[in-house]
Amino acid sequence: MKKALVTGITGQDGSYLAELLLEKGYEVHGIVRRASTFNTDRLEHIYKDPLVDNTNLYLHYGDLADAVQLVKLLYDLQPDEIYNLGAQSHVRVSFDIPEYTGDVTGVGAVRILEAIREAGLVGKVRFYQASSSEMFGKVQEVPQVETTPFWPRSPYACAKVYAHWLTVNYRESYGMHASSGILFNHESPRRGETFVTRKITRAATRIKLGLQNKLILGNLDSKRDWGYAKEYVEAMWLMLQQDQPDDFVIATNDTHTVREFLEETFAHLDMDWNEFVGFDKKYERPAEVDLLIGDPKKAREKLGWEPKTSFKELVALMVDADMKLAEQEKTLAEANLS
């Protein structure tokens, strides 16, 4: 039985990856930060699923800011694969907390890479670094590929560039099997509600049921390459199954504006978004990324991976899931009033 360690296991990608690895027969270990409230909602269904061997999922307290704990964990677990998905991943928030973002998102990756060396796992473990399309920032070519120069436009993107190049450096310096997935925007019903896509689908369904009146957003003209997160985690796993480590762009090669996402969401609910959406400059970034579109040709040829869910299908999937949540919320509210 292979053993995998996942940082950021409680997030969108981490929960989908945990499902995938369990289905493939892995023993899965995840790092979670200690908090006064439970933050494992995205994993609860795994524990409750009678078809899943729940004894193969283990959670450990830890933090990407705690190098000593990371070394201890790697010594104890001796994992076959490590997936570093943990980060302060909200781009707009990274402008407010740049130092913390740099420490966790950037230096956190170095702490794991060093922990691999300290635990004597070089040559034994395979490492995946979650890189980001935000690294391309002020894009130098369209579409973006693995060799496109980076021009980061946020503290988050700068931290990701640092982590990305350190992964390359450790691969070349120490012979680590270390790969980076340059993932373009990937969404799902498990996306955090502060991210624009989920903010839109959550608000639209609540507005439809009379639970909310307005939705306030920032820049509607930004173009993004949106894919389905559940499919993207499979690409992560495929990278670590290759004989040689490498870096791959994971994308759909299709781009849409935030405005188009709005239109598609509200149209799915037979509503006109113009009647309900307002603008507030505070939601704009100090430096904007105007266009992201990735070409996954290399992943298709070397990994056999390609996206299956279209933009329209992705939006519908998210809206339908959030409508169920809104209906539950309305039922609860009506019960409290009666």
Side-chain angles (χ1 to χ4, degrees):
M1 181 181 292
K2 280 188 176 181
K3 190 183 297 184
L5 174 64
V6 181
T7 72
I9 197 170
T10 59
Q12 170 189 253
D13 294 4
S15 64
Y16 280 124
L17 180 61
E19 286 178 350
L20 177 71
L21 294 173
L22 288 169
E23 288 170 3
K24 292 184 178 297
Y26 279 66
E27 179 179 301
V28 179
H29 295 260
I31 296 177
V32 296
R33 285 175 297 166
R34 173 72 179 91
S36 57
T37 56
F38 289 112
N39 59 353
T40 56
D41 294 354
R42 294 183 179 94
L43 298 172
E44 283 184 1
H45 68 285
I46 297 177
Y47 288 110
K48 296 175 183 176
D49 188 347
L51 299 179
V52 174
D53 184 354
N54 302 322
T55 60
N56 288 336
L57 176 62
Y58 304 87
L59 301 181
H60 308 266
Y61 284 125
D63 198 300
L64 287 173
D66 187 346
V68 174
Q69 171 61 10
L70 290 173
V71 173
K72 285 181 179 178
L73 202 55
L74 265 59
Y75 264 125
D76 292 341
L77 296 180
Q78 297 287 303
D80 300 289
E81 298 172 2
I82 297 173
Y83 297 85
N84 182 32
L85 312 184
Q88 190 302 100
S89 59
H90 199 288
V91 178
R92 177 62 190 86
V93 172
S94 75
F95 285 97
D96 300 325
I97 48 173
E99 182 181 345
Y100 175 78
T101 300
D103 185 37
V104 174
T105 307
V107 181
V110 181
R111 293 188 181 106
I112 298 179
L113 290 165
E114 275 296 294
I116 290 172
R117 296 181 64 221
E118 287 294 320
L121 295 177
V122 176
K124 301 176 183 178
V125 71
R126 297 186 174 192
F127 175 77
Y128 171 84
Q129 168 60 25
S131 290
S132 168
S133 61
E134 287 285 333
M135 301 188 303
F136 295 121
K138 189 175 180 179
V139 298
Q140 301 301 291
E141 63 180 342
V142 177
Q144 293 87 58
V145 295
E146 291 79 7
T147 56
T148 301
F150 299 138
W151 193 319
R153 300 268 283 172
S154 67
Y156 166 78
C158 291
K160 281 293 187 182
V161 169
Y162 177 73
H164 177 88
W165 281 118
L166 258 295
T167 301
V168 173
N169 186 262
Y170 274 64
R171 179 169 72 213
E172 295 177 349
S173 300
Y174 305 111
M176 282 189 186
H177 194 297
S179 298
S180 289
I182 307 174
L183 271 59
F184 281 63
N185 292 65
H186 44 291
E187 318 299 316
S188 76
R190 299 183 194 174
R191 186 60 140 156
E193 293 183 22
T194 60
F195 291 85
V196 67
T197 52
R198 187 75 195 292
K199 185 176 180 180
I200 290 171
T201 58
R202 190 81 173 96
T205 52
R206 297 186 81 250
I207 290 170
K208 180 73 174 180
L209 296 185
L211 297 169
Q212 184 173 330
N213 297 320
K214 282 282 185 182
L215 167 61
I216 308 300
L217 296 172
N219 185 4
L220 302 185
D221 297 318
S222 296
K223 293 182 177 180
R224 293 292 184 269
D225 183 327
W226 278 303
Y228 184 23
K230 188 173 183 178
E231 296 171 359
Y232 281 37
V233 300
E234 183 181 11
M236 301 176 186
W237 176 78
L238 285 168
M239 289 178 213
L240 297 199
Q241 310 317 305
Q242 305 305 302
D243 291 335
Q244 298 299 321
D246 207 344
D247 305 322
F248 295 88
V249 160
I250 305 299
T252 69
N253 202 21
D254 185 28
T255 190
H256 297 271
T257 63
V258 175
R259 182 177 280 101
E260 288 177 89
F261 197 99
L262 267 174
E263 291 170 349
E264 192 64 43
T265 296
F266 279 80
H268 191 69
L269 297 167
D270 296 318
M271 299 163 68
D272 181 359
W273 70 270
N274 291 284
E275 298 177 19
F276 306 101
V277 178
F279 170 80
D280 193 322
K281 192 175 179 62
K282 74 179 181 181
Y283 292 115
E284 288 191 327
R285 304 176 185 178
E288 186 56 78
V289 174
D290 298 316
L291 167 65
L292 291 175
I293 177 170
D295 184 353
K297 179 181 178 182
K298 182 178 175 181
R300 183 168 57 249
E301 293 178 349
K302 292 195 172 185
L303 303 178
W305 179 93
E306 59 184 351
K308 301 178 181 67
T309 304
S310 70
F311 174 73
K312 189 179 184 72
E313 291 169 337
L314 175 62
V315 175
L317 186 151
M318 293 177 66
V319 172
D320 291 344
D322 275 334
M323 178 54 77
K324 291 180 181 178
L325 285 181
E327 289 170 346
Q328 293 171 6
E329 185 180 353
K330 186 172 184 177
T331 299
L332 184 60
E334 290 172 345
N336 289 335
L337 287 174
S338 61

